[in-house]
Amino acid sequence: MSALLEIEDLRTHFFTTSGVVKAVNGISYDVQEGETVAIVGESGCGKSVSALSVLGLIPNPPGRIVGGAIRFQGDNLIGLDDLQIRNIRGRQIGMIFQEPMTSLNPVLTIGLQLTETMEHHLGMDRADAEKKAVEYLRLVGISEPERRIRQYPHHLSGGMRQRVMIAMALCCEPRLIIADEPTTALDVTIQAQILELMKNLTKRLGVALIIITHNLGVVARYADRVNVMYAGKIIERGLAADIYREPRHPYTLGLLSSVPRLDQPRQKRLDPIDGQPPDLTRLGEGCSFLPRCKFAVDRCESEIPPLETVGNGHLSACWENENLETARG
């Protein structure tokens, strides 16, 4: 059975006065029906750009998809005109953007922002769209939805705005939702509520979900499979349980070592990853993680390691992945 979404060797570059920024530099992954897939990595690794590429939201200039394929339900989205991609965006692929405080239009009511998409994509009249908007606001846990649709975004807290964004992504009954850092700027308690809500709703409605995050704690609880990104490439892929139990790339190991864990002594110090992500306009010939890697060998300077199978459904792009066993302890 073919995947709902298949991304093959996607390359999205930005052409600037400082050089070509290779924000997404040849990534491939897929999402199955009803599955939750996470894309994890530091800021600037290309996570959000890969999502915006799927939806045709890369600003041109300076950005452009220069290679690869994005197949949704078997059809390649690259090359579609504006009208064709708009018919897919929102209707078949929903998006929850990164910042709930600024993602909603401050001068339009909550109800208008919800009903507009249903009127456009589903051909509903205003009255029916408002009834459905109320249903979805209630579904995402917003109290008094009949009153809320008359309010403006500034009347709502950050957590409630994010619930509105989830309702907006779901109201046209898409097959896939992309959530780009959906808990940014929310406190820890609200983060947990939002993530639990998204997981439960997508499972209940049979919607596939891509979660883009830098938080590996999110991955452990909510994702089925994980893609770890660094410098525009996927450097490790596998089931969430395998990534946690047996990371096979030094970067993934470093991310895990820098996260507090309840099964470790309280006095145990975190082990952050030294250094900074590379300049994407000046990538070298070898492994991009080389300057920050504790396992580097001579080969890493001149050859980019391919993403190869290291277990059942588990892939890693590292020449020394076998030697990480002792580091995991």
Side-chain angles (χ1 to χ4, degrees):
M1 184 179 70
S2 61
L4 177 65
L5 177 72
E6 294 177 281
I7 294 179
E8 182 181 344
D9 196 30
L10 177 64
R11 299 174 186 270
T12 305
H13 296 173
F14 290 84
F15 298 86
T16 72
T17 55
S18 301
V20 179
V21 180
K22 298 178 180 179
V24 176
N25 198 20
I27 68 169
S28 300
Y29 69 91
D30 63 81
V31 180
Q32 302 293 326
E33 295 272 2
E35 184 182 32
T36 298
V37 173
I39 302 176
V40 185
E42 294 170 289
S43 296
C45 72
K47 308 185 303 294
S48 295
V49 173
S50 67
L52 295 175
S53 298
V54 172
L55 291 168
L57 293 174
I58 298 298
N60 183 10
R64 191 165 73 244
I65 296 175
V66 298
I70 301 171
R71 283 185 285 272
F72 180 70
Q73 300 183 113
D75 297 325
N76 194 354
L77 302 185
I78 297 177
L80 296 184
D81 61 34
D82 288 345
L83 178 60
Q84 290 172 316
I85 196 68
R86 280 202 303 268
N87 289 334
I88 292 172
R89 187 192 305 140
R91 176 63 184 94
Q92 298 184 59
I93 304 177
M95 180 83 176
I96 302 171
F97 291 96
Q98 187 166 356
E99 179 52 77
M101 302 300 182
T102 58
S103 295
L104 294 169
N105 191 321
V107 300
L108 299 179
T109 63
I110 297 301
L112 183 58
Q113 295 183 65
L114 281 166
T115 57
E116 183 181 35
T117 57
M118 289 184 278
E119 290 175 34
H120 174 74
H121 288 297
L122 304 181
M124 302 176 72
D125 60 32
R126 178 61 58 87
D128 289 339
E130 281 199 1
K131 289 180 183 178
K132 191 167 183 179
V134 168
E135 291 175 10
Y136 272 90
L137 288 179
R138 185 175 288 114
L139 185 67
V140 299
I142 290 182
S143 60
E144 301 180 89
E146 295 86 356
R147 181 168 67 90
R148 299 297 185 188
I149 63 172
R150 310 297 175 199
Q151 294 183 324
Y152 291 86
H154 69 269
H155 291 131
L156 308 182
S157 67
M160 290 181 70
R161 292 187 210 187
Q162 195 63 293
R163 289 174 187 267
V164 171
M165 292 297 297
I166 295 171
M168 191 179 298
L170 287 169
C171 65
C172 289
E173 301 175 0
R175 304 285 298 279
L176 170 68
I177 289 178
I178 302 173
D180 186 3
E181 298 277 9
T183 57
T184 297
L186 303 179
D187 64 57
V188 174
T189 304
I190 301 301
Q191 286 182 19
Q193 293 176 6
I194 293 297
L195 290 166
E196 202 68 43
L197 173 68
M198 288 173 54
K199 180 66 174 178
N200 290 340
L201 284 178
T202 52
K203 185 175 181 180
R204 172 179 167 183
L205 300 174
V207 181
L209 176 65
I210 297 175
I211 298 180
I212 297 171
T213 182
H214 61 272
N215 185 346
L216 275 168
V218 170
V219 171
R221 183 173 177 85
Y222 301 104
D224 300 311
R225 289 190 293 152
V226 180
N227 296 292
V228 182
M229 280 192 74
Y230 187 80
K233 291 181 175 290
I234 291 176
I235 50 86
E236 186 164 9
R237 174 190 304 144
L239 297 175
D242 292 341
I243 295 289
Y244 268 83
R245 183 173 55 246
E246 193 176 0
R248 297 293 293 272
H249 194 283
Y251 179 60
T252 311
L253 183 63
L255 289 177
L256 290 170
S257 299
S258 62
V259 175
R261 292 175 52 172
L262 293 177
D263 61 348
Q264 298 290 343
R266 291 182 60 185
Q267 63 272 22
K268 182 180 172 74
R269 294 178 63 87
L270 298 180
D271 185 16
I273 302 173
D274 294 331
Q276 297 293 327
D279 182 345
L280 296 182
T281 65
R282 296 177 174 84
L283 295 175
E285 295 181 354
C287 178
S288 299
F289 191 60
L290 170 65
R292 309 173 71 186
C293 186
K294 300 176 181 177
F295 301 87
V297 294
D298 291 343
R299 190 180 188 184
C300 302
E301 296 182 14
S302 57
E303 298 180 58
I304 298 176
L307 193 62
E308 295 183 327
T309 300
V310 294
N312 185 21
H314 193 168
L315 296 87
S316 173
C318 178
W319 298 122
E320 292 290 296
N321 65 74
E322 295 291 342
N323 295 328
L324 266 62
E325 187 70 38
T326 54
R328 291 194 297 268

